Amino acid sequence: MNAVNKTIFTLSVIISLYLILANIFSWTPLWAIVEVLTSHDLLNIYLVYGLIMIASLLNMFIGIFKRKTEVIFPFLINTLALILLVFNPFNELSLRLDIRKNFEPRSKIVQKIKEGELIPDEDGKIELPFWDRHLSKGGAVFVEKDGDLKVLFLTFRGILDNFSGLVYTSDDEKPEGDAFGADLGEVIKVKEYWYWIASW
């Protein structure tokens, strides 16, 4: 295996493992540390993954013409990782685990907001303390006060108003319309006072 093949193989293994672990551990305090250390941005990770996938595909085609069978391994690794991410319900399982495991810590954050210990800025944003950053993607929650209190913990942070998250509502009313400045496409009650919302 030449230097180019070794490099592509190594990068394929690293990015594939990283993506799978990112989906498995994305709701844990460990991942909050990883986010801080790596400036984690899933869009960039998938971009890097795509570039490595293209490089492994091109390398495979070139290698096949030269009758080198080892060049298929990086492409197979990337393809296997993609299949695992698409067909295994990592996100759904992780979300269920996240809701159950982090219910109490999120409730404590809501209580601190009610008591004025955590105060939103003019945009309604509160940066969470370091050890609580894993409770919301990007390490911040968003607050709306219009008679009742709504607190949004992000579970997915996309581009513009493409997001999903858990919302606490003090009056247990279903979030509707343009809550948090977005058109909600899906609203599901998960617990008393808590809803999962998605906007796209």
Side-chain angles (χ1 to χ4, degrees):
M1 193 180 283
N2 63 32
V4 172
N5 291 338
K6 282 182 182 176
T7 302
I8 293 174
F9 179 81
T10 303
L11 290 174
S12 295
V13 170
I14 291 170
I15 195 69
S16 295
L17 281 175
Y18 187 82
L19 276 174
I20 291 168
L21 292 173
N23 279 273
I24 293 172
F25 294 106
S26 61
W27 311 112
T28 63
L30 172 65
W31 196 250
I33 296 169
V34 172
E35 283 186 331
V36 170
L37 295 177
T38 63
S39 299
H40 170 69
D41 183 343
L42 272 180
L43 182 63
N44 291 340
I45 291 171
Y46 286 117
L47 178 63
V48 170
Y49 172 80
L51 292 173
I52 291 172
M53 179 70 127
I54 291 167
S56 67
L57 182 62
L58 291 173
N59 190 53
M60 183 178 71
F61 283 130
I62 293 167
I64 287 172
F65 286 120
K66 294 180 180 178
R67 300 179 185 272
K68 295 180 178 178
T69 55
E70 71 270 11
V71 295
I72 66 170
F73 293 120
F75 182 74
L76 289 176
I77 289 168
N78 290 327
T79 304
L80 180 62
L82 184 62
I83 290 169
L84 283 173
L85 291 171
V86 171
F87 293 105
N88 266 331
F90 287 125
N91 287 336
E92 186 179 341
L93 292 174
S94 295
L95 183 60
R96 287 180 185 174
L97 178 64
D98 169 55
I99 291 169
R100 188 168 58 247
K101 181 181 175 188
N102 291 318
F103 177 71
E104 287 300 323
R106 285 196 177 111
S107 296
K108 287 178 183 176
I109 294 294
V110 169
Q111 193 59 38
K112 287 179 180 180
I113 293 169
K114 286 180 176 178
E115 293 171 355
E117 191 175 330
L118 294 173
I119 301 169
D121 62 19
E122 61 274 4
D123 297 320
K125 182 178 179 181
I126 298 174
E127 292 289 341
L128 294 174
F130 179 78
W131 291 110
D132 292 324
R133 288 181 58 84
H134 66 285
L135 299 175
S136 183
K137 288 291 180 190
V141 296
F142 297 86
V143 177
E144 282 188 355
K145 291 181 182 178
D146 50 357
D148 64 319
L149 172 69
K150 290 185 183 73
V151 182
L152 170 62
F153 295 81
L154 292 173
T155 57
F156 170 77
R157 191 175 186 177
I159 300 169
L160 300 176
D161 63 351
N162 184 5
F163 70 88
S164 63
L166 289 165
V167 175
Y168 166 83
T169 61
S170 60
D171 60 0
D172 201 20
E173 287 292 319
K174 180 178 177 180
E176 293 179 346
D178 61 349
F180 298 98
D183 292 325
L184 301 183
E186 195 170 356
V187 180
I188 300 170
K189 187 167 187 174
V190 293
K191 280 181 177 285
E192 189 176 12
Y193 301 107
W194 291 87
Y195 293 82
W196 183 82
I197 65 170
S199 171
W200 52 81

